[in-house]
Amino acid sequence: MLTLADVKTHLKLDPTATDEDALLTGYLAAALGMFRTESKRRWPDVGEPALAKASDPAINPPTLVFLRYADYTVLSPDEQAMADQYILLTLGHWYENRGSVAVGLNVTEVPQTVKMLMNLLREPTL
């Protein structure tokens, strides 16, 4: 899960500056909420049951390897890394483009990378 320090590092802000902490915390909460709502996926809870498989039963004792979480809506470690990037890219876009209208400027939309990551992570629905 991302922290305020992660956000400041991503935005290349001074980690000791606190003047925008409230804004960044709000953006982080909003981006996380947007991710959860749009993807219908979530991070694992502490102690979340996971499925494991023996990678090679010939090894004694057999080595257990993470397969996936028992709940298919829980993000795997690889998916968590992608979700973090989705959140950071979205948050960075909001930080750089704070208004909904830009007079006399080129209007920018959410980067294609963000859309691509959501398409990979979104839980399919019928």
Side-chain angles (χ1 to χ4, degrees), residues 5-103:
D6 297 327
V7 170
K8 287 182 176 184
T9 299
H10 176 73
L11 297 175
K12 298 181 180 173
L13 299 176
D14 179 4
T16 61
T18 59
D19 52 327
E20 292 192 310
D21 282 3
L23 174 71
L24 296 174
T25 301
Y27 281 170
L28 180 56
L32 179 59
M34 187 173 100
F35 173 82
R36 286 180 175 156
T37 300
E38 198 167 324
S39 71
K40 297 175 180 46
R41 305 288 300 277
R42 65 182 178 85
W43 278 257
D45 295 328
V46 175
E48 182 93 23
L51 303 177
K53 66 176 182 176
S55 64
D56 186 357
I59 299 172
N60 192 5
T63 304
L64 292 180
V65 175
F66 175 85
L67 179 61
R68 67 175 178 82
Y69 285 96
D71 180 352
Y72 65 90
T73 64
V74 177
L75 297 166
S76 72
D78 289 342
E79 291 171 328
Q80 290 172 45
M82 288 191 295
D84 287 347
Q85 291 307 308
Y86 170 90
I87 291 168
L88 288 172
L89 288 168
T90 300
L91 196 147
H93 177 75
W94 291 345
Y95 184 78
E96 292 297 323
N97 304 283
R98 297 181 188 197
S100 59
V101 177
V103 178

